[in-house]
Amino acid sequence: TNGTHYKDLWDFSDTGSVGNADGKEPYYASLVFVGNKLYGFTEYGGAHNDGTAFSLDTNGTHYKDILDLDYTNSGEYLQGTPVFYNGKLFGCPDYGGPGGYGLVFSVDTNGANFTDLMDFSNGPEGGEPWASLTRSGNTLYGTTYEGGTNSDGTLFSVDVDGNNFMVLHTFNGYDGYEASANDPLISNGVLYNMDYGGGKNYDGSIYRMILCGLFKASQNTTDDKYNTCNDYSKMVASGER
């Protein structure tokens, strides 16, 4: 705590070409601490220069590139902080994947069993999930920068096994747009987050949403996959109430 004993644990290297196996530019990112290991993501580098997931012992040894992303199958531009749960890491690259606009994935901490949980196509479900995921129980929560019915992004949830994807809210500009780089916070059943732009003054907004199982298909649509909740009393710009 007095600033002594600083140690450089690992230096990423940019070879300037595809094949930079240890990754580069950990962007908008934090590390996850599990046991004696650190886990993180890089936006670029790796076998395809599309980003990596890695592990590193807390003493700086045993660096391992556990996942090399590729645009077509696993996406690219992996930003943010991993979610660790039950021996797996969860993340959401911004672009690429089968839908072209990012995806949600899980992978074992040893790099095995990569699973594509949800693909974004910039449709009603959203596109470009720039921000990190947050987990509560068996459910992951996240946001998209674009897409949704108003093209201003979405707030979504999906189970850790890829089931029960749901659009919880579609942004419309007045209540924010272009959610990016912010990790949703959940406390006592309430989700809090920020949007980069929009809001009353078009300079961004802080919002909350009560997560209480309100979002049933009978409210707005017969399709659970793109179910939304338009009751604005459940999603309130901070300070308005």
Side-chain angles (χ1 to χ4, degrees):
T1 59
N2 62 4
T4 61
H5 304 296
Y6 173 92
K7 181 180 180 181
D8 182 353
L9 297 179
W10 184 261
D11 294 302
F12 296 100
S13 59
D14 179 10
T15 63
S17 62
V18 171
N20 179 28
D22 68 349
K24 66 175 183 177
E25 297 183 19
Y27 192 58
Y28 285 133
S30 298
L31 297 166
V32 172
F33 181 82
V34 181
N36 68 337
K37 286 190 177 293
L38 303 170
Y39 295 91
F41 296 149
T42 67
E43 185 177 21
Y44 298 103
H48 310 286
N49 202 32
D50 290 328
T52 68
F54 65 86
S55 64
L56 179 71
D57 287 358
T58 53
N59 63 3
T61 62
H62 300 110
Y63 179 94
K64 182 179 180 181
D65 175 13
I66 61 177
L67 176 66
D68 292 309
L69 276 73
D70 72 276
Y71 179 89
T72 301
N73 298 304
S74 52
E76 66 177 359
Y77 304 155
L78 183 56
Q79 301 179 8
T81 303
V83 169
F84 173 81
Y85 180 60
N86 275 354
K88 293 182 179 291
L89 301 176
F90 297 84
C92 48
D94 301 353
Y95 296 100
Y101 285 85
L103 55 94
V104 178
F105 73 81
S106 68
V107 65
D108 293 353
T109 54
N110 64 2
N113 298 314
F114 174 89
T115 304
D116 181 348
L117 301 176
M118 170 62 195
D119 297 308
F120 296 96
S121 62
N122 211 32
E125 80 287 356
E128 302 181 24
W130 284 22
S132 302
L133 299 165
T134 294
R135 181 187 63 86
S136 179
N138 291 320
T139 304
L140 301 167
Y141 296 88
T143 56
T144 67
Y145 184 81
E146 293 185 347
T149 55
N150 302 307
S151 299
D152 289 323
T154 63
L155 170 65
F156 67 86
S157 66
V158 63
D159 290 352
V160 293
D161 60 4
N163 291 323
N164 299 315
F165 175 83
M166 190 177 294
V167 174
L168 302 180
H169 186 79
T170 297
F171 297 101
N172 60 25
Y174 177 80
D175 58 5
Y177 65 81
E178 297 182 353
S180 59
N182 300 313
D183 305 354
L185 301 176
I186 297 176
S187 177
N188 296 321
V190 181
L191 181 147
Y192 301 86
N193 205 0
M194 298 187 291
D195 279 327
Y196 171 80
K200 285 186 174 181
N201 301 311
Y202 296 96
D203 290 324
S205 63
I206 302 171
Y207 63 84
R208 71 181 183 188
M209 172 171 271
I210 300 171
L211 304 173
C212 52
L214 297 174
F215 312 105
K216 303 299 183 182
S218 59
Q219 286 185 300
N220 296 293
T221 176
T222 58
D223 187 350
D224 276 323
K225 185 176 182 181
Y226 299 134
N227 176 42
T228 60
C229 181
N230 294 319
D231 181 356
Y232 197 68
S233 68
K234 301 298 182 291
M235 184 170 185
V236 186
S238 181
E240 289 189 14
R241 298 189 183 186

